[in-house]
Amino acid sequence: MYDPTVARLTYRALLGRRRALILGALPLLLIVISVAVRGLTGADDQTASDVLGGFAIATMVPIIGVIAGTGAIGPEIDDGSVVYLLSKPLKRPTIIFTKLIVAIAVTMVFSAVPTLVAGLILNGNGQQVAVAYTVAALVSSIAYSALFLLLGTVSRHAVVFGLVYALVWEALFGSLVPGARTLSVQQWSLAVAHKVAGGDLVTSQVGLPTATVLLVAVTVLATWYAGQKLRTLKLAGEE
């Protein structure tokens, strides 16, 4: 289910100079903000939770997920170079699964690691805040990568749709419409973080059992359907 050649090509595409700069911009900004906040307010658990929840989990992680998830396959479909992969004796689910693993790895490195560093800077992991939000970043990286990889497979406007979901649906509707929170990867990951941290610093509008089921379901179904769409793309090309 994992092909090293596909993985190498995908890493090369995702970590090219321009895309690497884009991926690194938000984590760098998070670190700068964390240093400034710590210098101004000192170590405060609530402030740390606000910064990590409001910027890292709500903004940085989904945007990086959009870049990595859609970038893992979208550009290849747009420029036609995906034909090279489709011409190889590789199962379509293998191509999708390999690209998903790469997208997850890139999203985790550029989101979870900076989140942990920022948390340690802000309050030294007081009340497990840094670890809890790092776990949320890790968990959401998996679901976001699968979801946005699917978007990259089915649409030429995957980046736009991904940003709409991340910044409009989750950030705007998720904060204003209670029912929308149930369909939010952010809230699912925060449910896991709440379990890690305990207490009331990290909260979620979704219960842990529901969040766990939805995280697994979205990841599995998105990955499966992306494989099916890639198979259809091959058949369409042959016809």
Side-chain angles (χ1 to χ4, degrees), residues 71-127:
I73 195 170
E76 294 179 354
I77 294 177
D78 290 342
D79 63 21
S81 60
V82 72
V83 174
Y84 170 79
L85 288 179
L86 298 181
S87 66
K88 300 300 179 181
L90 292 171
K91 294 181 179 180
R92 304 304 165 255
T94 297
I95 295 174
I96 290 297
F97 184 75
T98 301
K99 288 182 173 293
L100 174 62
I101 295 299
V102 174
I104 290 173
V106 170
T107 305
M108 285 182 172
V109 168
F110 282 92
S111 61
V113 174
T115 298
L116 177 60
V117 173
L120 294 175
I121 292 172
L122 286 164
N123 76 332
N125 195 37
Q127 297 194 52

Side-chain angles (χ1 to χ4, degrees), residues 1-3 6-7 10 69 72-74 76-77 82 85-86 90-104 145-154 219-233:
M1 291 297 291
Y2 181 86
D3 186 85
V6 175
T10 306
I73 195 170
E76 294 179 354
I77 294 177
V82 72
L85 288 179
L86 298 181
L90 292 171
K91 294 181 179 180
R92 304 304 165 255
T94 297
I95 295 174
I96 290 297
F97 184 75
T98 301
K99 288 182 173 293
L100 174 62
I101 295 299
V102 174
I104 290 173
S145 296
L147 183 61
F148 297 136
L149 179 64
L150 171 61
L151 282 178
T153 306
V154 302
T219 301
V220 172
L221 290 176
T223 304
W224 172 81
Y225 191 60
Q228 298 304 306
K229 293 300 293 183
L230 195 62
R231 181 180 290 114
T232 302
L233 179 66

Side-chain angles (χ1 to χ4, degrees), residues 154-210:
V154 302
S155 173
R156 291 181 179 273
H157 306 289
V159 173
V160 175
F161 291 140
L163 290 175
V164 168
Y165 172 80
L167 300 180
V168 178
W169 178 265
E170 291 208 336
L172 181 59
F173 284 96
S175 62
L176 298 176
V177 183
R181 298 168 187 166
T182 306
L183 301 177
S184 167
V185 174
Q186 175 188 335
Q187 291 298 322
W188 304 342
S189 65
L190 287 175
V192 180
H194 173 72
K195 179 66 175 180
V196 174
D200 298 323
L201 280 177
V202 184
T203 60
S204 173
Q205 301 297 320
V206 181
L208 182 60
T210 300

